[in-house]
Amino acid sequence: MSRKQASSAGISEAEHAVMEALWDQSPLSASDVCDRVCRERDWSMPTVKTLLSRLVNKGAVSTEPDGRRFLYSPAIARSDYVGQESKRLVDRLFGGRPASLFAQLAENEALDDNDLAEIEKLLRELRS
Amino acid sequence: MSRKQASSAGISEAEHAVMEALWDQSPLSASDVCDRVCRERDWSMPTVKTLLSRLVNKGAVSTEPDGRRFLYSPAIARSDYVGQESKRLVDRLFGGRPASLFAQLAENEALDDNDLAEIEKLLRELRS
DNA sequence: AATGACGGTTTACACTCGTAATCGATAAGT
DNA sequence: ACTTATCGATTACGAGTGTAAACCGTCATT
């Protein structure tokens, strides 16, 4: 017992690719998942199977029997995952101050005019 | 040759804690580093030694002889590291669009009034 | 000169991750 | 019913990580 309780934490890079496929559409069978990621990541079916089992163990993916096989669905919302990961980064690297992240991106020229415009729009919306 | 050349990639969580100590002040001896992180992370000296060697191997930390011992300094700038990690997150989770990260943080209520004000200020500066 | 403290190097070991082969049960076709 | 194609489950295995003990050389002290 006392699983890592997972939820969203502890999803590795490779596992994340599988999650993205499921977030994009679900439920999916293992082969469906492979169809969507094996090409791109150059994986074989067994690899996908392993990743799916690990995700199920972690509680990040849920299964639903469909005849002889399983259909897989995300057990956590992408927005939750993304939110937690973002917060982790901000905490770890920016002392929990999101504005510092923003400053970093700005300084890095990682923001183009489009980004700036979008952010300004969001800011205006938040203001109201 | 062809070192992993590392630079900033491949620094693990535990190693990162050591890097932070060195970014905060350097050069430091191994015991100095331990003084700054062992309490907090509940580590013993050997652990710090291991992490320092690994960081030296990765090229993330440089050494400088000081009598019989070594003094350690970061070999990579914190801003570079932070920038690369930020970019990795944005690429991985937000399709490379920083504005999406920003939107996420906003939606998550991770931004308080202070953050918003700071970001607005940065935006105005970028505009000029 | 012998001993102990200090610091770096080597070795260790369990766990996770990436990647996959193999095994075993079952459904489907012949 | 028997064989084969599917699936999920079990096992594998090398690299990286967290955490640390053991070993070794050297400077300082007795």
Side-chain angles (χ1 to χ4, degrees):
Chain A
M1 234 110 296
S2 91
R3 228 7 4 70
K4 184 61 66 40
Q5 181 271 153
S7 310
S8 113
I11 293 181
S12 75
E13 178 74 15
E15 289 162 358
H16 176 238
V18 170
M19 290 305 292
E20 287 294 346
L22 291 175
W23 278 320
D24 185 53
Q25 182 180 343
S26 73
L28 292 179
S29 70
S31 347
D32 290 340
V33 173
C34 189
D35 287 345
R36 312 192 167 221
V37 298
C38 285
R39 210 66 37 154
E40 166 124 21
R41 312 267 304 205
D42 196 40
W43 281 342
S44 61
M45 261 302 280
T47 299
V48 173
K49 302 272 189 72
T50 299
L51 294 173
L52 279 170
S53 325
R54 287 179 183 169
L55 285 168
V56 170
N57 279 341
K58 292 183 183 180
V61 163
S62 63
T63 56
E64 161 196 358
D66 171 54
R68 55 207 146 291
R69 63 186 183 170
F70 279 146
L71 296 183
Y72 301 86
S73 302
I76 64 181
R78 186 181 137 87
S79 61
D80 286 350
Y81 172 74
V82 161
Q84 286 181 37
E85 289 299 304
S86 305
K87 183 165 178 345
R88 275 164 45 77
L89 182 88
V90 169
D91 286 347
R92 229 168 67 88
L93 299 185
F94 299 96
R97 287 180 306 284
S100 304
L101 202 204
F102 180 79
Q104 165 65 42
L105 291 170
E107 205 169 294
N108 242 40
E109 321 234 331
L111 302 175
D112 57 26
D113 287 346
N114 254 338
D115 295 322
L116 292 180
E118 253 185 88
I119 290 170
E120 276 180 344
K121 200 175 109 211
L122 283 166
L123 268 178
R124 277 195 302 277
E125 282 166 16
L126 285 173
R127 279 304 177 194
S128 38
Chain B
M1 236 114 293
S2 90
R3 220 22 354 72
K4 183 63 65 43
Q5 196 280 148
S7 311
S8 111
I11 292 181
S12 75
E13 179 75 14
E15 289 162 358
H16 176 238
V18 170
M19 290 305 291
E20 287 293 346
L22 292 174
W23 278 321
D24 185 51
Q25 182 181 342
S26 73
L28 292 179
S29 70
S31 347
D32 290 339
V33 172
C34 188
D35 287 345
R36 310 190 169 224
V37 298
C38 284
R39 210 65 37 154
E40 166 124 23
R41 310 269 304 206
D42 196 42
W43 282 342
S44 61
M45 261 304 279
T47 299
V48 173
K49 305 270 191 73
T50 300
L51 294 172
L52 279 171
S53 328
R54 287 178 183 170
L55 285 167
V56 170
N57 279 341
K58 292 182 183 182
V61 163
S62 63
T63 57
E64 162 196 357
D66 171 55
R68 56 207 141 291
R69 63 185 183 170
F70 279 147
L71 296 183
Y72 301 86
S73 302
I76 64 180
R78 187 181 136 87
S79 61
D80 286 351
Y81 172 74
V82 161
Q84 286 181 36
E85 289 299 304
S86 305
K87 183 166 179 342
R88 275 164 45 77
L89 182 89
V90 169
D91 285 348
R92 228 168 70 88
L93 299 185
F94 300 97
R97 287 180 306 284
S100 303
L101 202 204
F102 179 80
Q104 165 65 43
L105 290 171
E107 205 169 296
N108 242 42
E109 321 235 330
L111 301 174
D112 58 26
D113 287 346
N114 255 337
D115 295 322
L116 292 179
E118 252 186 89
I119 290 170
E120 277 181 343
K121 200 176 106 208
L122 283 165
L123 268 178
R124 276 196 302 276
E125 281 164 18
L126 284 172
R127 280 304 179 193
S128 39

